[in-house]
Each structure stands twice: as structure tokens, then as C-alpha cells.
Amino acid sequence: DGGITQSPKYLFRKEGQNVTLSCEQNLNHDAMYWYRQDPGQGLRLIYYSQIVNDFQKGDIAEGYSVSREKKESFPLTVTSAQKNPTAFYLCASISGGAGYNEQFFGPGTRLTVL
Amino acid sequence: AQTVTQSQPEMSVQEAETVTLSCTYDTSESNYYLFWYKQPPSRQMILVIRQEAYKQQNATENRFSVNFQKAAKSFSLKISDSQLGDTAMYFCAFMKRPDNAGNMLTFGGGTRLMVKP
């Protein structure tokens, strides 16, 4: 089955530590995205990548970093510079090409800072 | 930049009744897509319905339909014959028409819908 996987499902981090969230897709999608969701709020875009080895900042990129070395993978690192990292993180992907393409979402990772 | 506003943080409806969720947006774009996503307690985002701005006809998907008012920048979701499984957070979202725009989604703050038996 094609889809998007995120791991781990739950992640705990001590203050001052960096942590990396995994996102993998086998949909052969060109573009991938990271969103952050806070309790009772909508999703906000952190970073996105339209092609391998290229990515752009979203609305709330400060304190986060990404890489896109392979088409299938788009890991997100939450650095110690992120002041309030406790949140639910969603990865998404979309195929390229003209016209409308649906954005598919992974199951998410819940990050808690202890 | 686009903004999406959902003015109803929480709503409830009796099973089998009809409920309408509101959404307004602001954009200077003329070509775009609008979406309603459902996020049940599992937190998986599920696309419920989408509307293309250049189409005047309102989209429908089974029990779900929208009222798209382009001039008013309004995009409401009507759920008919509500079912217990409709209990979820509902997000309205906006996407510029894909043309190297990055296909990013801009989300509203969400409406928590509870369907009561």
C-alpha cells in the first residue's frame, strides 16, 4: 500500500536537545511538507520541499531544520532554538504536474518536551 | 498572503440532523482551491470535499456539500444526516492554483464538531 509514514508516533525530548522526526512516502510524490498543530488550532507550515535537494521556509521555520536528500524522505529536526516545541507534527506530500493534486497526510508525531 | 477564518470553535448537532460549519477567507488570488478536512480523534487528516474557485457549482460528496460564495469569500460546509462518526475537528483550507506556487495549504483554526446520539 502506498502512503506516508511518520515515526515515532510519540516522542519525548529534554530541554536543550535536538530531535529528528522521520517522514517517508512511497507515493513517488515530488513535494513534501511539514506542518505543526497546537491544541485546538489549525495547521501551520514549517518547511516544504518541491524537489530533491531544495526546500523553502514556511510561516514558522525558526528553530527547525530539514533536509531532502532523497525523494522519499523529508526529515524534520527540532532544534534547541525552538522555544516551544511541544506540539503535533504532520507531514504531507503531493504529486507534481499541472492541475489539481491532492495533498496526502501522514499519521503525525506527537512531540513533548519534558 | 492568504488568511482563513473559522468563527465557530465548537458546535454540536443531534444525530440525523443537519449542521453547517462556517469559513471565510481573504485572498487577492482569482484562481484557487478551497477544502474541508476532517480530523477525527485518531488525528489523521482526511479530505472531505474540495471546491475549485472558477466553478460556480457547489461541490457535493454524499452527505457533505458546500455553499461557495466567491464574492463574499465564504465557504461553508453542510453535513446532512449527521452520524456519530462525523464527530471530529473540521478544518477549512485554501490553496493557490498550482503553478509553481508550492501547493501549500493555509488552514483555518478549526471547528470541533460533536454529534450527539
Side-chain angles (χ1 to χ4, degrees), chain A residues 25 29-32 47-57 66-75:
Chain A
Q25 54 98 1
H29 284 174
D30 297 305
M32 298 185 73
Y47 268 99
Y48 68 101
S49 167
Q50 293 182 267
I51 57 173
V52 174
N53 293 323
D54 187 47
F55 47 83
Q56 288 77 40
K57 293 181 179 180
V66 294
S67 63
R68 187 86 186 277
E69 297 177 0
K70 298 186 300 182
K71 188 175 184 179
E72 302 79 19
S73 178
F74 191 41

mmCIF file of all heavy atoms in Angstrom, chain A residues 25 29-32 47-57 66-75:
data_model
loop_
_atom_site.group_PDB
_atom_site.id
_atom_site.type_symbol
_atom_site.label_atom_id
_atom_site.label_comp_id
_atom_site.label_asym_id
_atom_site.label_seq_id
_atom_site.Cartn_x
_atom_site.Cartn_y
_atom_site.Cartn_z
ATOM 1 N N GLN A 25 7.651 8.658 2.290
ATOM 2 C CA GLN A 25 6.500 8.401 1.422
ATOM 3 C C GLN A 25 6.919 7.512 0.250
ATOM 4 O O GLN A 25 8.027 7.649 -0.273
ATOM 5 C CB GLN A 25 5.874 9.715 0.918
ATOM 6 C CG GLN A 25 6.831 10.684 0.222
ATOM 7 C CD GLN A 25 6.815 10.612 -1.288
ATOM 8 O OE1 GLN A 25 6.060 9.834 -1.892
ATOM 9 N NE2 GLN A 25 7.651 11.431 -1.924
ATOM 10 N N HIS A 29 5.780 11.021 -4.814
ATOM 11 C CA HIS A 29 5.392 12.425 -4.852
ATOM 12 C C HIS A 29 6.621 13.325 -4.895
ATOM 13 O O HIS A 29 7.652 13.037 -4.289
ATOM 14 C CB HIS A 29 4.549 12.780 -3.625
ATOM 15 C CG HIS A 29 3.145 12.286 -3.727
ATOM 16 N ND1 HIS A 29 2.256 12.385 -2.695
ATOM 17 C CD2 HIS A 29 2.469 11.703 -4.754
ATOM 18 C CE1 HIS A 29 1.090 11.901 -3.075
ATOM 19 N NE2 HIS A 29 1.199 11.467 -4.322
ATOM 20 N N ASP A 30 6.473 14.437 -5.604
ATOM 21 C CA ASP A 30 7.594 15.365 -5.736
ATOM 22 C C ASP A 30 7.737 16.270 -4.520
ATOM 23 O O ASP A 30 8.828 16.534 -4.047
ATOM 24 C CB ASP A 30 7.403 16.230 -6.984
ATOM 25 C CG ASP A 30 7.405 15.406 -8.259
ATOM 26 O OD1 ASP A 30 8.377 14.678 -8.478
ATOM 27 O OD2 ASP A 30 6.424 15.498 -9.031
ATOM 28 N N ALA A 31 6.636 16.795 -4.036
ATOM 29 C CA ALA A 31 6.686 17.811 -2.983
ATOM 30 C C ALA A 31 6.307 17.213 -1.627
ATOM 31 O O ALA A 31 5.438 16.357 -1.532
ATOM 32 C CB ALA A 31 5.741 18.965 -3.316
ATOM 33 N N MET A 32 6.973 17.711 -0.598
ATOM 34 C CA MET A 32 6.683 17.277 0.769
ATOM 35 C C MET A 32 6.639 18.483 1.688
ATOM 36 O O MET A 32 7.270 19.519 1.422
ATOM 37 C CB MET A 32 7.737 16.260 1.236
ATOM 38 C CG MET A 32 7.754 14.988 0.389
ATOM 39 S SD MET A 32 8.877 13.719 0.987
ATOM 40 C CE MET A 32 8.010 13.138 2.445
ATOM 41 N N TYR A 47 8.134 23.963 6.904
ATOM 42 C CA TYR A 47 9.020 23.898 5.745
ATOM 43 C C TYR A 47 8.324 23.100 4.651
ATOM 44 O O TYR A 47 7.464 22.278 4.922
ATOM 45 C CB TYR A 47 10.333 23.175 6.097
ATOM 46 C CG TYR A 47 11.468 24.050 6.552
ATOM 47 C CD1 TYR A 47 11.753 24.198 7.900
ATOM 48 C CD2 TYR A 47 12.282 24.697 5.628
ATOM 49 C CE1 TYR A 47 12.824 24.984 8.332
ATOM 50 C CE2 TYR A 47 13.357 25.481 6.047
ATOM 51 C CZ TYR A 47 13.614 25.617 7.399
ATOM 52 O OH TYR A 47 14.672 26.398 7.814
ATOM 53 N N TYR A 48 8.768 23.338 3.412
ATOM 54 C CA TYR A 48 8.331 22.494 2.326
ATOM 55 C C TYR A 48 9.439 22.325 1.311
ATOM 56 O O TYR A 48 10.366 23.140 1.242
ATOM 57 C CB TYR A 48 7.047 23.024 1.675
ATOM 58 C CG TYR A 48 7.196 24.327 0.917
ATOM 59 C CD1 TYR A 48 7.291 24.333 -0.467
ATOM 60 C CD2 TYR A 48 7.186 25.548 1.590
ATOM 61 C CE1 TYR A 48 7.393 25.520 -1.163
ATOM 62 C CE2 TYR A 48 7.294 26.733 0.900
ATOM 63 C CZ TYR A 48 7.395 26.727 -0.470
ATOM 64 O OH TYR A 48 7.496 27.911 -1.160
ATOM 65 N N SER A 49 9.313 21.253 0.534
ATOM 66 C CA SER A 49 10.316 20.931 -0.470
ATOM 67 C C SER A 49 9.597 20.478 -1.729
ATOM 68 O O SER A 49 8.774 19.568 -1.686
ATOM 69 C CB SER A 49 11.226 19.812 0.035
ATOM 70 O OG SER A 49 12.015 19.288 -1.016
ATOM 71 N N GLN A 50 9.911 21.115 -2.841
ATOM 72 C CA GLN A 50 9.254 20.755 -4.096
ATOM 73 C C GLN A 50 10.070 19.768 -4.912
ATOM 74 O O GLN A 50 9.515 19.066 -5.770
ATOM 75 C CB GLN A 50 8.985 22.023 -4.918
ATOM 76 C CG GLN A 50 7.942 22.938 -4.275
ATOM 77 C CD GLN A 50 7.645 24.147 -5.119
ATOM 78 O OE1 GLN A 50 8.256 25.206 -4.934
ATOM 79 N NE2 GLN A 50 6.709 24.026 -6.036
ATOM 80 N N ILE A 51 11.385 19.733 -4.681
ATOM 81 C CA ILE A 51 12.247 18.771 -5.374
ATOM 82 C C ILE A 51 13.389 18.378 -4.447
ATOM 83 O O ILE A 51 13.660 19.059 -3.450
ATOM 84 C CB ILE A 51 12.830 19.341 -6.685
ATOM 85 C CG1 ILE A 51 13.599 20.638 -6.403
ATOM 86 C CG2 ILE A 51 11.741 19.566 -7.724
ATOM 87 C CD1 ILE A 51 14.329 21.154 -7.600
ATOM 88 N N VAL A 52 14.069 17.307 -4.811
ATOM 89 C CA VAL A 52 15.203 16.840 -4.023
ATOM 90 C C VAL A 52 16.269 17.925 -3.959
ATOM 91 O O VAL A 52 16.496 18.655 -4.928
ATOM 92 C CB VAL A 52 15.768 15.545 -4.638
ATOM 93 C CG1 VAL A 52 17.043 15.115 -3.928
ATOM 94 C CG2 VAL A 52 14.742 14.435 -4.578
ATOM 95 N N ASN A 53 16.901 18.026 -2.778
ATOM 96 C CA ASN A 53 17.995 18.977 -2.528
ATOM 97 C C ASN A 53 17.545 20.431 -2.576
ATOM 98 O O ASN A 53 18.391 21.332 -2.753
ATOM 99 C CB ASN A 53 19.154 18.756 -3.494
ATOM 100 C CG ASN A 53 19.859 17.428 -3.258
ATOM 101 O OD1 ASN A 53 20.011 16.996 -2.112
ATOM 102 N ND2 ASN A 53 20.255 16.780 -4.328
ATOM 103 N N ASP A 54 16.268 20.666 -2.406
ATOM 104 C CA ASP A 54 15.768 22.038 -2.358
ATOM 105 C C ASP A 54 14.610 22.118 -1.380
ATOM 106 O O ASP A 54 13.754 21.222 -1.346
ATOM 107 C CB ASP A 54 15.308 22.489 -3.739
ATOM 108 C CG ASP A 54 14.945 23.962 -3.748
ATOM 109 O OD1 ASP A 54 15.740 24.765 -3.222
ATOM 110 O OD2 ASP A 54 13.862 24.299 -4.259
ATOM 111 N N PHE A 55 14.575 23.166 -0.567
ATOM 112 C CA PHE A 55 13.465 23.342 0.364
ATOM 113 C C PHE A 55 13.338 24.827 0.702
ATOM 114 O O PHE A 55 14.290 25.611 0.534
ATOM 115 C CB PHE A 55 13.649 22.517 1.638
ATOM 116 C CG PHE A 55 15.006 22.614 2.271
ATOM 117 C CD1 PHE A 55 15.329 23.657 3.118
ATOM 118 C CD2 PHE A 55 15.964 21.629 2.020
ATOM 119 C CE1 PHE A 55 16.571 23.730 3.699
ATOM 120 C CE2 PHE A 55 17.213 21.700 2.614
ATOM 121 C CZ PHE A 55 17.525 22.748 3.447
ATOM 122 N N GLN A 56 12.135 25.201 1.155
ATOM 123 C CA GLN A 56 11.855 26.594 1.480
ATOM 124 C C GLN A 56 11.215 26.688 2.859
ATOM 125 O O GLN A 56 10.516 25.773 3.295
ATOM 126 C CB GLN A 56 10.893 27.224 0.459
ATOM 127 C CG GLN A 56 11.500 27.500 -0.902
ATOM 128 C CD GLN A 56 11.635 26.271 -1.752
ATOM 129 O OE1 GLN A 56 10.749 25.435 -1.756
ATOM 130 N NE2 GLN A 56 12.746 26.146 -2.448
ATOM 131 N N LYS A 57 11.439 27.823 3.496
ATOM 132 C CA LYS A 57 10.830 28.074 4.789
ATOM 133 C C LYS A 57 9.341 28.358 4.628
ATOM 134 O O LYS A 57 8.910 29.011 3.670
ATOM 135 C CB LYS A 57 11.494 29.271 5.470
ATOM 136 C CG LYS A 57 12.937 29.022 5.868
ATOM 137 C CD LYS A 57 13.519 30.245 6.555
ATOM 138 C CE LYS A 57 14.959 30.001 6.978
ATOM 139 N NZ LYS A 57 15.546 31.192 7.645
ATOM 140 N N VAL A 66 15.474 21.122 8.011
ATOM 141 C CA VAL A 66 15.060 19.970 7.219
ATOM 142 C C VAL A 66 16.163 19.626 6.224
ATOM 143 O O VAL A 66 17.105 20.390 6.013
ATOM 144 C CB VAL A 66 13.754 20.240 6.438
ATOM 145 C CG1 VAL A 66 12.573 20.416 7.376
ATOM 146 C CG2 VAL A 66 13.921 21.442 5.519
ATOM 147 N N SER A 67 16.013 18.463 5.616
ATOM 148 C CA SER A 67 16.856 18.060 4.508
ATOM 149 C C SER A 67 15.994 17.274 3.524
ATOM 150 O O SER A 67 14.950 16.731 3.901
ATOM 151 C CB SER A 67 18.039 17.206 4.978
ATOM 152 O OG SER A 67 17.585 16.007 5.568
ATOM 153 N N ARG A 68 16.425 17.240 2.286
ATOM 154 C CA ARG A 68 15.694 16.467 1.282
ATOM 155 C C ARG A 68 16.731 15.826 0.352
ATOM 156 O O ARG A 68 16.942 16.238 -0.783
ATOM 157 C CB ARG A 68 14.748 17.359 0.473
ATOM 158 C CG ARG A 68 13.846 16.561 -0.471
ATOM 159 C CD ARG A 68 12.614 16.065 0.146
ATOM 160 N NE ARG A 68 11.815 15.199 -0.686
ATOM 161 C CZ ARG A 68 10.933 15.611 -1.606
ATOM 162 N NH1 ARG A 68 10.784 16.887 -1.857
ATOM 163 N NH2 ARG A 68 10.236 14.719 -2.274
ATOM 164 N N GLU A 69 17.394 14.803 0.867
ATOM 165 C CA GLU A 69 18.433 14.116 0.108
ATOM 166 C C GLU A 69 17.865 13.053 -0.812
ATOM 167 O O GLU A 69 18.499 12.666 -1.799
ATOM 168 C CB GLU A 69 19.456 13.513 1.068
ATOM 169 C CG GLU A 69 20.190 14.558 1.907
ATOM 170 C CD GLU A 69 21.146 13.947 2.903
ATOM 171 O OE1 GLU A 69 21.241 12.701 2.944
ATOM 172 O OE2 GLU A 69 21.796 14.698 3.640
ATOM 173 N N LYS A 70 16.692 12.547 -0.473
ATOM 174 C CA LYS A 70 16.016 11.545 -1.297
ATOM 175 C C LYS A 70 14.572 11.987 -1.528
ATOM 176 O O LYS A 70 13.978 12.653 -0.685
ATOM 177 C CB LYS A 70 16.018 10.188 -0.589
ATOM 178 C CG LYS A 70 17.372 9.604 -0.314
ATOM 179 C CD LYS A 70 17.249 8.199 0.244
ATOM 180 C CE LYS A 70 16.464 8.191 1.549
ATOM 181 N NZ LYS A 70 16.377 6.803 2.121
ATOM 182 N N LYS A 71 14.034 11.582 -2.648
ATOM 183 C CA LYS A 71 12.664 11.961 -2.968
ATOM 184 C C LYS A 71 11.689 11.424 -1.925
ATOM 185 O O LYS A 71 10.678 12.054 -1.626
ATOM 186 C CB LYS A 71 12.300 11.397 -4.354
ATOM 187 C CG LYS A 71 10.981 11.874 -4.898
ATOM 188 C CD LYS A 71 10.776 11.364 -6.309
ATOM 189 C CE LYS A 71 9.498 11.920 -6.926
ATOM 190 N NZ LYS A 71 9.312 11.438 -8.313
ATOM 191 N N GLU A 72 11.998 10.260 -1.372
ATOM 192 C CA GLU A 72 11.059 9.601 -0.476
ATOM 193 C C GLU A 72 11.071 10.144 0.950
ATOM 194 O O GLU A 72 10.176 9.857 1.727
ATOM 195 C CB GLU A 72 11.380 8.100 -0.406
ATOM 196 C CG GLU A 72 11.356 7.376 -1.732
ATOM 197 C CD GLU A 72 12.613 7.587 -2.549
ATOM 198 O OE1 GLU A 72 13.647 7.994 -1.972
ATOM 199 O OE2 GLU A 72 12.567 7.357 -3.768
ATOM 200 N N SER A 73 12.092 10.885 1.316
ATOM 201 C CA SER A 73 12.313 11.215 2.716
ATOM 202 C C SER A 73 12.457 12.712 2.955
ATOM 203 O O SER A 73 13.139 13.412 2.188
ATOM 204 C CB SER A 73 13.581 10.494 3.188
ATOM 205 O OG SER A 73 13.868 10.803 4.522
ATOM 206 N N PHE A 74 11.859 13.195 4.035
ATOM 207 C CA PHE A 74 11.906 14.625 4.357
ATOM 208 C C PHE A 74 11.933 14.767 5.879
ATOM 209 O O PHE A 74 10.949 15.148 6.507
ATOM 210 C CB PHE A 74 10.692 15.321 3.755
ATOM 211 C CG PHE A 74 10.729 16.827 3.784
ATOM 212 C CD1 PHE A 74 11.888 17.527 3.511
ATOM 213 C CD2 PHE A 74 9.576 17.557 4.058
ATOM 214 C CE1 PHE A 74 11.918 18.918 3.520
ATOM 215 C CE2 PHE A 74 9.581 18.945 4.062
ATOM 216 C CZ PHE A 74 10.751 19.622 3.793
ATOM 217 N N PRO A 75 13.057 14.481 6.514
ATOM 218 C CA PRO A 75 13.120 14.553 7.981
ATOM 219 C C PRO A 75 13.126 15.985 8.507
ATOM 220 O O PRO A 75 13.697 16.885 7.876
ATOM 221 C CB PRO A 75 14.436 13.843 8.294
ATOM 222 C CG PRO A 75 15.257 13.982 7.053
ATOM 223 C CD PRO A 75 14.285 13.973 5.913
#
